[in-house]
Amino acid sequence: MECVFGLVGNGFAIVVADTSAVHSILVHKSNEDKIMLLDSHKLIAASGEPGDRVQFTEYIQKNVALYHFRNGIPLTTAAAANFTRGELATALRKNPYFVNVLLAGYDKETGPSLYYIDYIATMHKVDKGAFGYGSYFSLAMMDRHYHSGMTVEEAIDLVDKCIMEIRSRLVVAPPNFVIKIVDKEGARQYAWRESVKDAPVPAA
């Protein structure tokens, strides 16, 4: 039921993920952020088994930070993607992680980039990519409307079209999505698209 997708525009990359925490037929919460900041200019969006997703993305985040701490320079987006792929490949032969990853980043020398890494450690540099049931609809919309050199406004419009298509066509569509962007200014949350709000927990 998960939906994760992303695209590269003119000087930026955007990643989008649903925010539903689901087990079997139960929805536990609708505000789970599945896009983690790896560092100031990198985002990692993940889908898969909840435990694997949280543990693996935190493991990658801490190792990227450790590399920066030891060497005094951050990993490039390509290096972080190759490290992530290598860890998935190593785990595949021991105790595999059932997690799929879209890794987006911005480098001064090469600009924005997006990497597609699946649970069997296949990696591709892509202009657009998606995972989950929502990928059937978001990929179709992006194939139709995506073009290189998109502005932020055009990309957000396309993201909203993908979200609307998922909500209207997917029988188990998640209600809420989080949108994050990375560009020369850094990685940050851009917006939420909410149709359901979790009720606040009353104070004891």
Side-chain angles (χ1 to χ4, degrees):
M1 275 80 81
E2 290 185 300
C3 306
V4 175
F5 60 95
L7 57 91
V8 176
N10 183 19
F12 66 91
I14 284 178
V15 285
V16 185
D18 76 279
T19 61
S20 296
V22 177
H23 177 71
S24 184
I25 61 171
L26 300 177
V27 177
H28 294 294
K29 60 188 292 193
S30 300
N31 58 358
E32 174 82 1
D33 191 349
K34 299 176 184 176
I35 307 175
M36 177 180 281
L37 271 68
L38 283 188
D39 63 21
S40 62
H41 285 77
K42 293 179 196 66
L43 295 166
I44 184 167
S47 68
E49 290 294 324
D52 285 354
R53 173 176 55 77
V54 172
Q55 196 276 332
F56 182 73
T57 53
E58 286 184 354
Y59 172 75
I60 297 299
Q61 182 192 50
K62 302 313 176 192
N63 274 275
V64 167
L66 178 63
Y67 180 92
H68 192 178
F69 179 73
R70 281 178 170 169
N71 298 284
I73 56 171
L75 284 170
T76 64
T77 306
N82 277 281
F83 172 73
T84 303
R85 184 216 163 269
E87 293 303 310
L88 280 172
T90 301
L92 188 64
R93 290 151 182 84
K94 297 176 181 177
N95 186 22
Y97 295 102
F98 292 101
V99 60
N100 301 302
V101 167
L102 285 177
L103 195 153
Y106 185 93
D107 301 294
K108 288 181 180 178
E109 297 79 13
T110 57
S113 54
L114 180 68
Y115 288 86
Y116 170 107
I117 311 166
D118 70 11
Y119 73 101
I120 52 174
T122 301
M123 186 182 81
H124 295 288
K125 184 179 180 182
V126 295
D127 290 327
K128 57 187 186 297
F131 286 113
Y133 282 116
S135 67
Y136 293 107
F137 308 106
S138 55
L139 283 174
M141 294 298 290
M142 288 191 287
D143 282 343
R144 175 67 181 85
H145 298 287
Y146 176 84
H147 62 85
S148 59
M150 295 183 85
T151 65
V152 173
E153 292 75 19
E154 289 174 326
I156 292 298
D157 182 59
L158 177 51
V159 164
D160 286 335
K161 286 177 179 173
C162 292
I163 291 172
M164 289 302 296
E165 195 72 7
I166 291 167
R167 284 175 173 169
S168 61
R169 301 285 299 279
L170 185 60
V171 69
V172 286
N176 301 339
F177 291 81
V178 61
I179 304 168
K180 295 191 180 182
I181 188 170
V182 57
D183 56 18
K184 64 182 180 181
E185 304 299 329
R188 60 197 181 277
Q189 183 177 297
Y190 184 86
W192 283 70
R193 296 292 186 260
E194 293 181 297
S195 58
V196 170
K197 286 187 179 290
D198 281 5
V201 177

